[in-house]
Amino acid sequence: MQQVGLHLQREAVNLGRANGGEPFARSSFNRYYYSIFLEVRELFASVDTSWATLPHKSYPEILRGKFKKRIKKVQEIARRGEDNILYADCRRANSYLLNLASLMERAYALRVIADYNPDIAVEFDGADRFKLSDTKISEAHEWQSRVRIWIDSIRSVILQADA
């Protein structure tokens, strides 16, 4: 999805608004959203296969709820066992859970705008960038790399919880 998003981003820039680049721009935001959605869905499936079929809008709630509880349990075990490294890993993972949930909400809302609100225009800056609803395409392009870092940290703690 990331490669498709980048291809669409380049096409949007090449065409610009005047030559029909807006649909490509909208689609690039959509693909960048799906690139992170698929990463998170894979994380969900690794913990509980039934979570992988949940509606998109429920993902932030699951991250802030069930995932956070799971990591809090590991954090408490680490605290009692005076495992400072694991405790720090849990704190970081909890922070990443909140970041991930917030990003999923923002990215989902942007995907909805891109797909269903053509009245909200893509703003081209005249160079090689554009934005939709105050989100620059360069930010959307970076979502997946950030999400992978966050998920690796979260998954590491969860694997320790299951060990």
Side-chain angles (χ1 to χ4, degrees):
M1 287 296 148
Q2 185 75 7
Q3 287 179 315
V4 174
L6 181 57
H7 175 74
L8 293 165
Q9 177 183 344
R10 288 179 178 150
E11 284 299 310
V13 167
N14 288 338
L15 292 170
R17 173 181 297 291
N19 295 317
E22 185 158 347
F24 290 94
R26 289 178 176 284
S27 294
S28 65
F29 281 106
N30 182 297
R31 294 299 93 188
Y32 287 141
Y33 164 75
Y34 275 101
S35 71
I36 65 171
F37 170 78
L38 293 172
E39 295 279 347
V40 177
R41 187 177 75 178
E42 184 180 313
L43 172 66
F44 279 26
S46 71
V47 173
D48 184 333
T49 56
S50 70
W51 293 357
T53 60
L54 294 171
H56 292 232
K57 284 191 94 168
S58 68
Y59 276 45
E61 179 184 320
I62 299 293
L63 290 165
R64 289 185 182 112
K66 294 177 181 180
F67 270 88
K68 192 163 181 73
K69 281 183 185 176
R70 198 173 189 133
I71 290 175
K72 284 287 188 186
K73 280 184 185 178
V74 177
Q75 190 173 10
E76 182 56 28
I77 292 167
R79 187 190 63 75
R80 278 189 257 130
E82 298 181 9
D83 186 339
N84 295 332
I85 293 172
L86 179 56
Y87 186 82
D89 288 347
C90 290
R91 287 179 52 102
R92 187 173 18 267
N94 274 322
S95 175
Y96 290 160
L97 281 172
L98 298 177
N99 292 346
L100 185 54
S102 293
L103 179 58
M104 290 294 296
E105 285 172 336
R106 284 184 43 243
Y108 178 80
L110 192 63
R111 182 198 69 89
V112 169
I113 291 169
D115 287 350
Y116 302 112
N117 297 100
D119 54 312
I120 300 174
V122 174
E123 297 176 38
F124 287 82
D125 73 0
D128 63 346
R129 296 286 177 235
F130 52 89
K131 67 181 180 175
L132 178 62
S133 187
D134 295 328
T135 300
K136 295 178 181 179
I137 193 61
S138 55
E139 178 187 340
H141 176 81
E142 294 172 1
W143 288 342
Q144 188 180 36
S145 59
R146 282 191 282 158
V147 164
R148 283 186 173 164
I149 292 167
W150 298 341
I151 285 176
D152 286 347
S153 175
I154 294 163
R155 185 176 281 125
S156 172
V157 170
I158 288 172
L159 288 172
Q160 292 181 61
D162 295 340

